[in-house]
Amino acid sequence: MKASIPNSGHDYPFFDIDALALDFGTESAEQNEDEIRADTYGIHIAPLAGSEGFYDNERLRERYLYLLDALPGRPVVNTPEFIYETLIAEFPNFGEAIDYICSFVCLSRRGAVPFYFPPLLLDGPPGIGKTRFALRVAGLCNAGFDMLSCSGMSGNMALLGSEQGYSESRPGFYADTFKKNRVINNLVLLDEVEKMGVDHRGADPYAALLPLLERETASVHKDNCLQESINLGYLSYIMTCNSVHTIPEPMMTRVRMLTVQAPDSDQLDRIVPHVIRDVTSRYNLDCFTFVPDMDEIRRVYEANHNIRELKAVIEYQIRAALWQPRSGRISFTRAVEKASIGFRR
């Protein structure tokens, strides 16, 4: 992930986040070209309104003057029906969240405004596809994407920026988001938001996050480093958590919380083809014919109901179809119990 952001991401073993986000944005859909333009609605907004707060600092001026450039607000090109059918096929256990997203897709298209939705908190066990769902939503809705891991985050510098007096001071995560995606409306994934904590200085990341979750205050957010107001009013947030018990009540009142369960056995059969597509696309095996061992897949999934484990098993099966072990020591079927490090299983 990005070194410039503290705790900016996990090492997800099965998902290349940047590649997936790029791939997810290339799908086509039926649309009325007279109604929806594929580039922008003509809305261009500069994140920063001025540079007086940091212009005398040569280092900051060289690094962050790009925030004065006007960025386009992307429309939603795909129809809400297409987005719903695509997402429900891949995430059948996310039905209520998909309805939530599609309702705001309708608002964006009907009002001819950049795509945006109020903060969505997805509560559910780990490994059920919450991260991949956020990536998919961003791609299908034509929004930029960024991710900030909240696990172990303490303090508020990643959210508010560090004080300008520090020699290596920097603004909040959003500065790099705008630089990477070059659009004003981005979907930001705040992963494992329940694991943030107060640092040794008493800085509370939950308190820092609150004004970013309301559009009125986010649009005039004051960055500690740049000492300027920065417009974050077009950032949409999907937050994930494994439990809501440690999340403060003031934050819960500012989000739409939905509980997501692990897919059941019927939903699993609908998910497997899409997981196979992810694996084969990652290794450029789109023309490779593969018949999965569904008995093994169901057995492994029923043991832990984890999509990451499901993807690992499918990857093992594909490699088993391509390579027969010469040593006889490597098993290409993944055991339900945890395996020790090394080749022998």
Short mmCIF file of all heavy atoms in Angstrom, two decimals, residues 182-239:
data_model
loop_
_atom_site.label_atom_id
_atom_site.label_comp_id
_atom_site.label_asym_id
_atom_site.label_seq_id
_atom_site.Cartn_x
_atom_site.Cartn_y
_atom_site.Cartn_z
N ARG A 182 -7.33 11.46 -9.38
CA ARG A 182 -7.60 12.64 -10.20
C ARG A 182 -9.08 12.86 -10.44
O ARG A 182 -9.50 13.30 -11.52
CB ARG A 182 -6.85 12.56 -11.54
CG ARG A 182 -5.35 12.39 -11.42
CD ARG A 182 -4.71 13.49 -10.63
NE ARG A 182 -4.90 14.81 -11.26
CZ ARG A 182 -4.63 15.96 -10.66
NH1 ARG A 182 -4.19 15.97 -9.41
NH2 ARG A 182 -4.81 17.10 -11.31
N VAL A 183 -9.91 12.55 -9.47
CA VAL A 183 -11.33 12.86 -9.50
C VAL A 183 -11.72 13.38 -8.13
O VAL A 183 -11.06 13.09 -7.12
CB VAL A 183 -12.21 11.64 -9.86
CG1 VAL A 183 -11.97 11.22 -11.30
CG2 VAL A 183 -11.97 10.49 -8.91
N ILE A 184 -12.80 14.16 -8.06
CA ILE A 184 -13.21 14.75 -6.79
C ILE A 184 -14.06 13.78 -5.98
O ILE A 184 -14.10 13.83 -4.76
CB ILE A 184 -13.97 16.07 -7.03
CG1 ILE A 184 -14.07 16.88 -5.74
CG2 ILE A 184 -15.34 15.82 -7.62
CD1 ILE A 184 -12.75 17.42 -5.24
N ASN A 185 -14.78 12.85 -6.67
CA ASN A 185 -15.63 11.91 -5.94
C ASN A 185 -14.97 10.53 -5.91
O ASN A 185 -14.80 9.87 -6.92
CB ASN A 185 -17.04 11.84 -6.55
CG ASN A 185 -17.05 11.43 -8.00
OD1 ASN A 185 -16.21 11.87 -8.79
ND2 ASN A 185 -18.00 10.58 -8.38
N ASN A 186 -14.59 10.14 -4.72
CA ASN A 186 -13.90 8.87 -4.49
C ASN A 186 -14.64 8.06 -3.43
O ASN A 186 -15.27 8.63 -2.53
CB ASN A 186 -12.46 9.12 -4.01
CG ASN A 186 -11.61 9.82 -5.04
OD1 ASN A 186 -11.02 9.20 -5.92
ND2 ASN A 186 -11.54 11.15 -4.94
N LEU A 187 -14.54 6.75 -3.55
CA LEU A 187 -15.03 5.86 -2.52
C LEU A 187 -13.84 5.45 -1.67
O LEU A 187 -12.85 4.91 -2.18
CB LEU A 187 -15.70 4.64 -3.13
CG LEU A 187 -16.52 3.73 -2.19
CD1 LEU A 187 -17.48 2.86 -2.99
CD2 LEU A 187 -15.65 2.84 -1.33
N VAL A 188 -13.92 5.71 -0.37
CA VAL A 188 -12.83 5.39 0.56
C VAL A 188 -13.28 4.25 1.47
O VAL A 188 -14.32 4.32 2.11
CB VAL A 188 -12.44 6.61 1.40
CG1 VAL A 188 -11.32 6.25 2.38
CG2 VAL A 188 -12.00 7.76 0.50
N LEU A 189 -12.49 3.19 1.48
CA LEU A 189 -12.75 2.06 2.36
C LEU A 189 -11.97 2.26 3.65
O LEU A 189 -10.75 2.34 3.64
CB LEU A 189 -12.35 0.74 1.69
CG LEU A 189 -12.40 -0.51 2.58
CD1 LEU A 189 -13.83 -0.82 2.98
CD2 LEU A 189 -11.76 -1.70 1.87
N LEU A 190 -12.69 2.34 4.76
CA LEU A 190 -12.06 2.39 6.09
C LEU A 190 -12.21 1.01 6.69
O LEU A 190 -13.28 0.62 7.15
CB LEU A 190 -12.73 3.45 6.97
CG LEU A 190 -12.69 4.89 6.44
CD1 LEU A 190 -13.41 5.83 7.39
CD2 LEU A 190 -11.25 5.35 6.22
N ASP A 191 -11.13 0.25 6.66
CA ASP A 191 -11.20 -1.17 7.01
C ASP A 191 -10.95 -1.39 8.50
O ASP A 191 -10.03 -0.81 9.08
CB ASP A 191 -10.15 -1.93 6.20
CG ASP A 191 -10.35 -3.43 6.24
OD1 ASP A 191 -11.52 -3.87 6.25
OD2 ASP A 191 -9.35 -4.17 6.26
N GLU A 192 -11.78 -2.23 9.13
CA GLU A 192 -11.68 -2.58 10.54
C GLU A 192 -11.70 -1.32 11.41
O GLU A 192 -10.83 -1.10 12.25
CB GLU A 192 -10.42 -3.42 10.80
CG GLU A 192 -10.45 -4.75 10.07
CD GLU A 192 -9.28 -5.65 10.43
OE1 GLU A 192 -8.15 -5.13 10.53
OE2 GLU A 192 -9.50 -6.86 10.60
N VAL A 193 -12.74 -0.54 11.21
CA VAL A 193 -12.82 0.76 11.86
C VAL A 193 -12.97 0.63 13.38
O VAL A 193 -12.69 1.60 14.12
CB VAL A 193 -13.97 1.57 11.24
CG1 VAL A 193 -15.32 1.03 11.67
CG2 VAL A 193 -13.85 3.05 11.52
N GLU A 194 -13.38 -0.52 13.85
CA GLU A 194 -13.56 -0.69 15.30
C GLU A 194 -12.23 -0.84 16.04
O GLU A 194 -12.21 -0.85 17.28
CB GLU A 194 -14.45 -1.92 15.57
CG GLU A 194 -13.75 -3.27 15.55
CD GLU A 194 -13.53 -3.84 14.16
OE1 GLU A 194 -13.64 -3.08 13.18
OE2 GLU A 194 -13.25 -5.05 14.05
N LYS A 195 -11.12 -0.94 15.31
CA LYS A 195 -9.83 -1.20 15.95
C LYS A 195 -8.97 0.04 16.11
O LYS A 195 -7.78 -0.06 16.40
CB LYS A 195 -9.08 -2.27 15.16
CG LYS A 195 -9.80 -3.61 15.15
CD LYS A 195 -9.03 -4.68 14.40
CE LYS A 195 -9.77 -6.01 14.42
NZ LYS A 195 -9.06 -7.07 13.68
N MET A 196 -9.54 1.23 15.90
CA MET A 196 -8.79 2.45 16.13
C MET A 196 -8.68 2.72 17.62
O MET A 196 -9.51 2.26 18.41
CB MET A 196 -9.46 3.64 15.43
CG MET A 196 -9.51 3.52 13.92
SD MET A 196 -10.00 5.07 13.10
CE MET A 196 -11.68 5.27 13.69
N GLY A 197 -7.65 3.47 18.00
CA GLY A 197 -7.46 3.75 19.41
C GLY A 197 -6.85 5.13 19.65
O GLY A 197 -6.26 5.74 18.76
N VAL A 198 -7.00 5.62 20.86
CA VAL A 198 -6.43 6.92 21.27
C VAL A 198 -4.94 6.76 21.45
O VAL A 198 -4.46 5.77 22.02
CB VAL A 198 -7.09 7.40 22.58
CG1 VAL A 198 -6.46 8.71 23.03
CG2 VAL A 198 -8.59 7.56 22.38
N ASP A 199 -4.14 7.72 20.95
CA ASP A 199 -2.69 7.62 21.08
C ASP A 199 -2.22 8.20 22.41
O ASP A 199 -3.01 8.64 23.25
CB ASP A 199 -1.98 8.27 19.89
CG ASP A 199 -2.12 9.79 19.86
OD1 ASP A 199 -2.67 10.37 20.83
OD2 ASP A 199 -1.68 10.41 18.88
N HIS A 200 -0.88 8.24 22.60
CA HIS A 200 -0.31 8.67 23.88
C HIS A 200 -0.56 10.15 24.16
O HIS A 200 -0.46 10.59 25.30
CB HIS A 200 1.20 8.40 23.89
CG HIS A 200 1.97 9.22 22.89
ND1 HIS A 200 2.00 8.93 21.55
CD2 HIS A 200 2.73 10.34 23.05
CE1 HIS A 200 2.76 9.82 20.92
NE2 HIS A 200 3.21 10.68 21.81
N ARG A 201 -0.89 10.92 23.11
CA ARG A 201 -1.18 12.34 23.30
C ARG A 201 -2.65 12.59 23.58
O ARG A 201 -3.06 13.73 23.75
CB ARG A 201 -0.76 13.12 22.06
CG ARG A 201 0.73 13.05 21.73
CD ARG A 201 1.06 13.75 20.43
NE ARG A 201 0.49 13.04 19.28
CZ ARG A 201 -0.50 13.50 18.53
NH1 ARG A 201 -1.05 14.68 18.81
NH2 ARG A 201 -0.94 12.81 17.52
N GLY A 202 -3.43 11.52 23.58
CA GLY A 202 -4.86 11.66 23.81
C GLY A 202 -5.64 12.00 22.57
O GLY A 202 -6.84 12.32 22.65
N ALA A 203 -5.01 11.90 21.39
CA ALA A 203 -5.70 12.20 20.14
C ALA A 203 -6.63 11.04 19.78
O ALA A 203 -6.19 9.89 19.70
CB ALA A 203 -4.68 12.44 19.02
N ASP A 204 -7.89 11.36 19.55
CA ASP A 204 -8.92 10.35 19.34
C ASP A 204 -9.28 10.28 17.85
O ASP A 204 -9.86 11.23 17.31
CB ASP A 204 -10.15 10.69 20.16
CG ASP A 204 -11.24 9.63 20.08
OD1 ASP A 204 -11.08 8.69 19.28
OD2 ASP A 204 -12.24 9.76 20.79
N PRO A 205 -8.99 9.18 17.16
CA PRO A 205 -9.32 9.11 15.73
C PRO A 205 -10.82 9.12 15.47
O PRO A 205 -11.26 9.58 14.41
CB PRO A 205 -8.67 7.80 15.28
CG PRO A 205 -8.54 6.99 16.53
CD PRO A 205 -8.29 7.97 17.63
N TYR A 206 -11.62 8.60 16.40
CA TYR A 206 -13.07 8.62 16.20
C TYR A 206 -13.59 10.06 16.20
O TYR A 206 -14.43 10.43 15.37
CB TYR A 206 -13.78 7.81 17.28
CG TYR A 206 -13.56 6.32 17.18
CD1 TYR A 206 -12.76 5.65 18.08
CD2 TYR A 206 -14.15 5.59 16.14
CE1 TYR A 206 -12.56 4.28 17.98
CE2 TYR A 206 -13.95 4.22 16.04
CZ TYR A 206 -13.15 3.57 16.96
OH TYR A 206 -12.95 2.22 16.85
N ALA A 207 -13.08 10.87 17.11
CA ALA A 207 -13.49 12.27 17.14
C ALA A 207 -13.06 13.00 15.87
O ALA A 207 -13.78 13.85 15.34
CB ALA A 207 -12.91 12.96 18.37
N ALA A 208 -11.87 12.64 15.35
CA ALA A 208 -11.39 13.27 14.12
C ALA A 208 -12.22 12.84 12.91
O ALA A 208 -12.40 13.61 11.96
CB ALA A 208 -9.92 12.90 13.89
N LEU A 209 -12.74 11.62 12.96
CA LEU A 209 -13.49 11.10 11.82
C LEU A 209 -14.89 11.69 11.73
O LEU A 209 -15.45 11.82 10.62
CB LEU A 209 -13.58 9.57 11.93
CG LEU A 209 -14.25 8.81 10.79
CD1 LEU A 209 -13.55 9.08 9.46
CD2 LEU A 209 -14.25 7.30 11.10
N LEU A 210 -15.48 12.08 12.84
CA LEU A 210 -16.87 12.52 12.86
C LEU A 210 -17.18 13.62 11.85
O LEU A 210 -18.15 13.50 11.08
CB LEU A 210 -17.28 12.96 14.27
CG LEU A 210 -17.33 11.86 15.34
CD1 LEU A 210 -17.80 12.46 16.67
CD2 LEU A 210 -18.25 10.73 14.91
N PRO A 211 -16.41 14.71 11.80
CA PRO A 211 -16.77 15.77 10.82
C PRO A 211 -16.57 15.34 9.38
O PRO A 211 -17.16 15.95 8.47
CB PRO A 211 -15.82 16.92 11.20
CG PRO A 211 -14.72 16.30 11.95
CD PRO A 211 -15.30 15.13 12.67
N LEU A 212 -15.77 14.31 9.12
CA LEU A 212 -15.59 13.84 7.76
C LEU A 212 -16.78 13.03 7.27
O LEU A 212 -16.94 12.83 6.06
CB LEU A 212 -14.32 12.97 7.66
CG LEU A 212 -13.00 13.59 8.10
CD1 LEU A 212 -11.85 12.65 7.79
CD2 LEU A 212 -12.78 14.95 7.46
N LEU A 213 -17.63 12.58 8.19
CA LEU A 213 -18.75 11.73 7.83
C LEU A 213 -20.01 12.51 7.49
O LEU A 213 -20.99 11.93 7.03
CB LEU A 213 -19.05 10.75 8.96
CG LEU A 213 -17.90 9.82 9.36
CD1 LEU A 213 -18.33 8.88 10.47
CD2 LEU A 213 -17.39 9.02 8.16
N GLU A 214 -20.00 13.80 7.73
CA GLU A 214 -21.14 14.65 7.40
C GLU A 214 -20.72 15.61 6.29
O GLU A 214 -19.71 16.31 6.40
CB GLU A 214 -21.62 15.40 8.63
CG GLU A 214 -22.16 14.46 9.70
CD GLU A 214 -22.87 15.20 10.81
OE1 GLU A 214 -22.18 15.82 11.63
OE2 GLU A 214 -24.11 15.14 10.86
N ARG A 215 -21.51 15.65 5.25
CA ARG A 215 -21.09 16.35 4.03
C ARG A 215 -20.86 17.83 4.25
O ARG A 215 -19.94 18.42 3.68
CB ARG A 215 -22.14 16.13 2.94
CG ARG A 215 -21.59 16.37 1.56
CD ARG A 215 -22.53 15.86 0.49
NE ARG A 215 -21.87 15.89 -0.81
CZ ARG A 215 -22.47 15.55 -1.94
NH1 ARG A 215 -23.73 15.13 -1.93
NH2 ARG A 215 -21.82 15.61 -3.09
N GLU A 216 -21.66 18.44 5.07
CA GLU A 216 -21.53 19.89 5.28
C GLU A 216 -20.18 20.23 5.91
O GLU A 216 -19.50 21.18 5.49
CB GLU A 216 -22.67 20.41 6.15
CG GLU A 216 -24.04 20.35 5.51
CD GLU A 216 -24.63 18.95 5.49
OE1 GLU A 216 -24.06 18.05 6.16
OE2 GLU A 216 -25.65 18.74 4.82
N THR A 217 -19.79 19.50 6.94
CA THR A 217 -18.51 19.78 7.60
C THR A 217 -17.33 19.24 6.79
O THR A 217 -16.24 19.84 6.80
CB THR A 217 -18.49 19.18 9.02
OG1 THR A 217 -18.88 17.79 8.96
CG2 THR A 217 -19.44 19.92 9.93
N ALA A 218 -17.53 18.13 6.08
CA ALA A 218 -16.44 17.58 5.27
C ALA A 218 -16.05 18.52 4.13
O ALA A 218 -14.89 18.57 3.72
CB ALA A 218 -16.85 16.22 4.71
N SER A 219 -16.99 19.28 3.62
CA SER A 219 -16.71 20.16 2.49
C SER A 219 -15.85 21.36 2.88
O SER A 219 -15.28 22.03 2.01
CB SER A 219 -18.01 20.64 1.85
OG SER A 219 -18.77 21.41 2.78
N VAL A 220 -15.73 21.63 4.17
CA VAL A 220 -14.89 22.75 4.65
C VAL A 220 -13.89 22.25 5.67
O VAL A 220 -13.50 22.96 6.60
CB VAL A 220 -15.76 23.88 5.24
CG1 VAL A 220 -16.57 24.57 4.16
CG2 VAL A 220 -16.68 23.35 6.34
N HIS A 221 -13.43 21.03 5.50
CA HIS A 221 -12.49 20.42 6.45
C HIS A 221 -11.17 21.18 6.48
O HIS A 221 -10.60 21.50 5.43
CB HIS A 221 -12.24 18.96 6.04
CG HIS A 221 -11.15 18.29 6.81
ND1 HIS A 221 -11.24 18.02 8.16
CD2 HIS A 221 -9.93 17.84 6.42
CE1 HIS A 221 -10.13 17.43 8.56
NE2 HIS A 221 -9.33 17.30 7.52
N LYS A 222 -10.67 21.47 7.69
CA LYS A 222 -9.40 22.20 7.85
C LYS A 222 -8.28 21.20 8.09
O LYS A 222 -8.28 20.47 9.09
CB LYS A 222 -9.50 23.18 9.02
CG LYS A 222 -8.26 24.03 9.24
CD LYS A 222 -8.08 25.06 8.13
CE LYS A 222 -6.97 26.04 8.46
NZ LYS A 222 -7.30 26.94 9.58
N ASP A 223 -7.32 21.15 7.18
CA ASP A 223 -6.20 20.23 7.31
C ASP A 223 -5.12 20.85 8.17
O ASP A 223 -4.72 22.00 7.97
CB ASP A 223 -5.63 19.88 5.93
CG ASP A 223 -4.51 18.87 6.00
OD1 ASP A 223 -4.80 17.66 6.05
OD2 ASP A 223 -3.34 19.30 6.02
N ASN A 224 -4.61 20.08 9.14
CA ASN A 224 -3.62 20.60 10.09
C ASN A 224 -2.30 20.96 9.40
O ASN A 224 -1.63 21.91 9.80
CB ASN A 224 -3.34 19.57 11.18
CG ASN A 224 -4.47 19.47 12.18
OD1 ASN A 224 -5.29 20.38 12.30
ND2 ASN A 224 -4.53 18.35 12.89
N CYS A 225 -1.94 20.20 8.40
CA CYS A 225 -0.66 20.43 7.74
C CYS A 225 -0.73 21.61 6.77
O CYS A 225 0.11 22.51 6.81
CB CYS A 225 -0.22 19.16 7.00
SG CYS A 225 1.26 19.35 5.98
N LEU A 226 -1.72 21.60 5.91
CA LEU A 226 -1.81 22.64 4.88
C LEU A 226 -2.39 23.93 5.41
O LEU A 226 -2.26 24.99 4.77
CB LEU A 226 -2.66 22.13 3.71
CG LEU A 226 -2.15 20.85 3.04
CD1 LEU A 226 -3.10 20.42 1.93
CD2 LEU A 226 -0.74 21.05 2.50
N GLN A 227 -3.05 23.87 6.56
CA GLN A 227 -3.68 25.05 7.15
C GLN A 227 -4.64 25.74 6.17
O GLN A 227 -4.70 26.96 6.08
CB GLN A 227 -2.61 26.04 7.64
CG GLN A 227 -1.85 25.56 8.87
CD GLN A 227 -2.77 25.41 10.08
OE1 GLN A 227 -3.40 26.38 10.52
NE2 GLN A 227 -2.86 24.19 10.61
N GLU A 228 -5.35 24.92 5.43
CA GLU A 228 -6.34 25.39 4.47
C GLU A 228 -7.56 24.47 4.54
O GLU A 228 -7.45 23.30 4.93
CB GLU A 228 -5.78 25.37 3.04
CG GLU A 228 -4.74 26.43 2.74
CD GLU A 228 -5.32 27.83 2.62
OE1 GLU A 228 -6.56 27.94 2.49
OE2 GLU A 228 -4.54 28.80 2.63
N SER A 229 -8.69 25.00 4.14
CA SER A 229 -9.89 24.18 4.04
C SER A 229 -9.81 23.35 2.76
O SER A 229 -9.47 23.86 1.69
CB SER A 229 -11.15 25.05 4.01
OG SER A 229 -11.34 25.68 5.25
N ILE A 230 -10.12 22.07 2.88
CA ILE A 230 -10.09 21.16 1.74
C ILE A 230 -11.47 20.53 1.60
O ILE A 230 -12.10 20.13 2.59
CB ILE A 230 -8.98 20.10 1.92
CG1 ILE A 230 -8.86 19.23 0.67
CG2 ILE A 230 -9.19 19.26 3.16
CD1 ILE A 230 -7.59 18.41 0.62
N ASN A 231 -11.94 20.47 0.38
CA ASN A 231 -13.30 19.98 0.11
C ASN A 231 -13.31 18.46 0.03
O ASN A 231 -12.89 17.87 -0.96
CB ASN A 231 -13.82 20.58 -1.20
CG ASN A 231 -15.30 20.27 -1.42
OD1 ASN A 231 -15.87 19.42 -0.76
ND2 ASN A 231 -15.90 20.98 -2.37
N LEU A 232 -13.84 17.82 1.08
CA LEU A 232 -13.98 16.36 1.13
C LEU A 232 -15.45 15.95 1.03
O LEU A 232 -15.81 14.82 1.35
CB LEU A 232 -13.37 15.81 2.42
CG LEU A 232 -11.93 16.23 2.73
CD1 LEU A 232 -11.47 15.60 4.04
CD2 LEU A 232 -10.99 15.84 1.59
N GLY A 233 -16.27 16.88 0.59
CA GLY A 233 -17.70 16.64 0.57
C GLY A 233 -18.16 15.63 -0.45
O GLY A 233 -19.32 15.18 -0.40
N TYR A 234 -17.29 15.24 -1.40
CA TYR A 234 -17.67 14.25 -2.40
C TYR A 234 -17.03 12.89 -2.12
O TYR A 234 -17.08 12.01 -2.99
CB TYR A 234 -17.28 14.72 -3.80
CG TYR A 234 -18.17 15.83 -4.33
CD1 TYR A 234 -17.82 17.17 -4.17
CD2 TYR A 234 -19.37 15.54 -4.98
CE1 TYR A 234 -18.63 18.18 -4.64
CE2 TYR A 234 -20.19 16.55 -5.46
CZ TYR A 234 -19.81 17.86 -5.29
OH TYR A 234 -20.63 18.87 -5.75
N LEU A 235 -16.44 12.71 -0.95
CA LEU A 235 -15.89 11.40 -0.58
C LEU A 235 -17.01 10.56 0.03
O LEU A 235 -17.69 10.98 0.96
CB LEU A 235 -14.75 11.55 0.42
CG LEU A 235 -13.48 12.27 -0.04
CD1 LEU A 235 -12.40 12.16 1.02
CD2 LEU A 235 -12.98 11.72 -1.37
N SER A 236 -17.18 9.36 -0.49
CA SER A 236 -18.11 8.38 0.08
C SER A 236 -17.31 7.35 0.86
O SER A 236 -16.20 6.98 0.47
CB SER A 236 -18.90 7.69 -1.03
OG SER A 236 -19.61 8.61 -1.82
N TYR A 237 -17.87 6.88 1.95
CA TYR A 237 -17.15 5.95 2.82
C TYR A 237 -17.91 4.64 2.96
O TYR A 237 -19.12 4.64 3.26
CB TYR A 237 -16.94 6.54 4.21
CG TYR A 237 -16.07 7.78 4.23
CD1 TYR A 237 -16.64 9.05 4.20
CD2 TYR A 237 -14.68 7.68 4.26
CE1 TYR A 237 -15.85 10.18 4.20
CE2 TYR A 237 -13.89 8.82 4.26
CZ TYR A 237 -14.48 10.07 4.23
OH TYR A 237 -13.69 11.20 4.24
N ILE A 238 -17.20 3.54 2.77
CA ILE A 238 -17.66 2.23 3.22
C ILE A 238 -16.71 1.80 4.33
O ILE A 238 -15.49 1.72 4.12
CB ILE A 238 -17.67 1.19 2.09
CG1 ILE A 238 -18.79 1.50 1.09
CG2 ILE A 238 -17.87 -0.21 2.66
CD1 ILE A 238 -18.91 0.48 -0.04
N MET A 239 -17.26 1.58 5.50
CA MET A 239 -16.47 1.14 6.65
C MET A 239 -16.80 -0.31 6.95
O MET A 239 -17.94 -0.74 6.78
CB MET A 239 -16.77 2.02 7.86
CG MET A 239 -16.32 3.46 7.68
SD MET A 239 -16.89 4.55 9.00
CE MET A 239 -18.52 4.93 8.37
#
